[in-house]
Amino acid sequence: MQSFKFHSPTEVVFGRNADGDTAALIKKYGGSRALVVYGEGSAERSGLLDKIISQLRRNYIAVFKYGGAMPNPHLSFVRKGIKKALTYKADFILAIGGGSAIDAAKAIAHGTANPDIDVWKFWTREESLTKSLPVGVVLTISAAGSETSMSAVITDTETGLKRGLGTDFNRPRFAVMNPEFTFTIPKYPMACGLADIYMHTLDRYFAPEEGNETTDEIAAAIMRTVIRNASRVLENPTDYHAQSEIMWCGSLSHNRITELGRSMDFSVHQLGHELSGKFDVAHGASLTTMWGAWARYVMEINPERFTQYGKAVFGECKSAEEAIEKTEAFFRGIGTPTNFTELGIGVQTDEVLDQLAESCTFFGKRQVGSFKPLDKEDIKAIYASANR
């Protein structure tokens, strides 16, 4: 193992009836006035929202509801949430939902704790985040891993820019994880969630540093577990065992344990962010769209690494290209796209590809990735490869 520092402070309560601890956890972490952030209505329709709110009120926690968090959570939604939190004098933000509600809750917490700073400036790096409100999570979909991660991604729909922020202030104080809450997720969002979990692990697997055997084994085990259980949850969403394994993989895939001893690459996430920011496509789908194009562009840097990955995850694998083909076959097998046409955005013009690449480099301010650092021309070439 190479040297590393690891900090994962989120308290996890996992299993059937885990949600029964929500009020006690909010109080444990200093909350008495909670803004509850949730999505577009599934938490209401399932009865979960009312169940949690009733529990909080029985335990003398003041509750203020704020619903409507959308996929690729919008900056405008965050700004309105900050105003509500300030008006209600909220001292705790509770997210009920998946990555969109959780990332929005994190951003609302940052903005509420820093009311004199426009919250978007933390994501554009114009301001440094030094404080925030505590955030808790009741998870309802296995996907983003935001329930235990140090990241949050927000989209400015006015500019089409989607940006991520990595900081320990994004770490939720607790995550309540009951796999039964995932039973009603529709098939395509579930597939995109599976892709997101897999790609959180895969984007960390390909890094320039080697010699991290334990980290590699953990990552490969997570990817094998996702593959093994993906068809089970898609065919039978009420399979508790399969859903529980997927849910825990989602958290492990993004709490940093699969990057210990090495740097993150995350090129594919950056490429995907531009697609979902511009075209408002599902995050997981944007990742599977870009992975094969990225992999073929960079594989000559270290083809043995790709072959090693293929053997560790799929068993029989003789080449880097075979590992890439097997990965794309898995993505197609769960119903996610591997090119622009399958994504539903069609073949794009050269001008659009140039705009995507320019935005991905933050308008010339950065390269992307660590396995092979990518500049604008590299990124445009990868978009062109997926543009079919």
Side-chain angles (χ1 to χ4, degrees), residues 185-239:
I185 301 299
K187 191 169 185 177
Y188 186 68
M190 191 179 296
C192 289
L194 292 165
D196 198 9
I197 295 168
Y198 197 91
M199 282 304 310
H200 277 150
T201 311
L202 200 54
D203 262 357
R204 290 175 165 93
Y205 194 91
F206 289 96
E209 301 87 359
E210 297 186 5
N212 298 291
E213 181 180 338
T214 301
T215 300
D216 281 353
E217 290 294 326
I218 292 171
I222 289 171
M223 290 186 280
R224 290 195 305 268
T225 302
V226 171
I227 290 171
R228 186 166 56 249
N229 288 284
S231 60
R232 298 173 185 174
V233 298
L234 290 172
E235 292 170 7
N236 178 15
T238 62
D239 183 331

Side-chain angles (χ1 to χ4, degrees), residues 25-300:
L25 287 164
I26 290 175
K27 288 186 172 182
K28 177 178 178 177
Y29 292 103
S32 61
R33 300 177 64 82
L35 181 74
V36 178
V37 180
Y38 55 99
E40 298 179 279
S42 62
E44 285 184 294
R45 291 190 297 272
S46 69
L48 175 61
L49 180 66
D50 286 343
K51 180 182 179 183
I52 296 295
I53 287 176
S54 295
Q55 178 192 153
L56 303 192
R57 286 175 174 161
R58 286 197 307 273
N59 286 273
Y60 306 103
I61 297 172
V63 179
F64 313 97
K65 298 194 297 182
Y66 183 47
M70 301 178 69
N72 304 310
H74 297 175
L75 176 60
S76 58
F77 177 82
V78 168
R79 285 175 170 154
K80 290 177 183 176
I82 292 167
K83 290 180 180 179
K84 286 183 177 290
L86 290 170
T87 298
Y88 298 142
K89 295 182 173 57
D91 58 13
F92 197 96
I93 312 297
L94 179 68
I96 301 179
S100 298
I102 301 168
D103 283 5
K106 292 176 180 181
I108 290 168
H110 303 339
T112 305
N114 300 274
D116 297 326
I117 299 174
D118 177 20
V119 69
W120 185 239
K121 290 185 176 181
F122 297 128
W123 270 258
T124 60
R125 311 302 193 271
E126 295 172 75
E127 295 282 353
S128 296
L129 187 65
T130 59
K131 59 182 177 179
S132 188
L133 290 188
V135 173
V137 174
V138 177
L139 187 65
T140 65
I141 179 171
S142 306
S146 190
E147 66 275 3
T148 57
S149 83
M150 62 182 291
S151 69
V153 181
I154 301 296
T155 300
D156 181 356
T157 54
E158 292 185 3
T159 62
L161 297 180
K162 182 176 180 178
R163 295 290 181 259
L165 175 68
T167 169
D168 276 333
F169 288 105
N170 277 331
R171 299 278 194 183
R173 301 299 176 87
F174 67 81
V176 168
M177 301 169 64
N178 181 345
E180 292 176 329
F181 295 162
T182 67
F183 288 178
T184 59
I185 301 299
K187 191 169 185 177
Y188 186 68
M190 191 179 296
C192 289
L194 292 165
D196 198 9
I197 295 168
Y198 197 91
M199 282 304 310
H200 277 150
T201 311
L202 200 54
D203 262 357
R204 290 175 165 93
Y205 194 91
F206 289 96
E209 301 87 359
E210 297 186 5
N212 298 291
E213 181 180 338
T214 301
T215 300
D216 281 353
E217 290 294 326
I218 292 171
I222 289 171
M223 290 186 280
R224 290 195 305 268
T225 302
V226 171
I227 290 171
R228 186 166 56 249
N229 288 284
S231 60
R232 298 173 185 174
V233 298
L234 290 172
E235 292 170 7
N236 178 15
T238 62
D239 183 331
Y240 180 89
H241 174 77
Q243 290 283 21
S244 68
E245 295 294 340
I246 292 293
M247 178 173 272
W248 188 229
C249 282
S251 290
L252 292 179
S253 74
H254 208 26
N255 75 346
R256 293 194 61 243
I257 199 168
T258 59
E259 71 185 64
L260 301 184
R262 58 188 179 220
S263 56
M264 290 195 303
D265 180 83
F266 263 61
S267 297
V268 178
H269 266 75
Q270 302 307 315
L271 293 161
H273 282 176
E274 300 308 322
L275 292 181
S276 53
K278 183 174 181 61
F279 298 105
D280 198 26
V281 294
H283 174 60
S286 77
L287 303 180
T288 61
T289 294
M290 295 309 308
W291 189 80
W294 169 85
R296 290 186 175 90
Y297 190 83
V298 306
M299 68 178 180
E300 291 307 320

Side-chain angles (χ1 to χ4, degrees), residues 287-335:
L287 303 180
T288 61
T289 294
M290 295 309 308
W291 189 80
W294 169 85
R296 290 186 175 90
Y297 190 83
V298 306
M299 68 178 180
E300 291 307 320
I301 294 294
N302 189 349
E304 293 80 11
R305 182 65 171 168
F306 280 87
T307 306
Q308 176 189 342
Y309 151 71
K311 290 178 179 178
V313 175
F314 299 106
E316 184 67 26
C317 185
K318 297 179 181 179
S319 68
E321 178 60 32
E322 184 178 356
I324 296 168
E325 290 174 356
K326 286 179 180 290
T327 305
E328 289 184 315
F330 166 63
F331 291 153
R332 289 191 295 270
I334 62 174

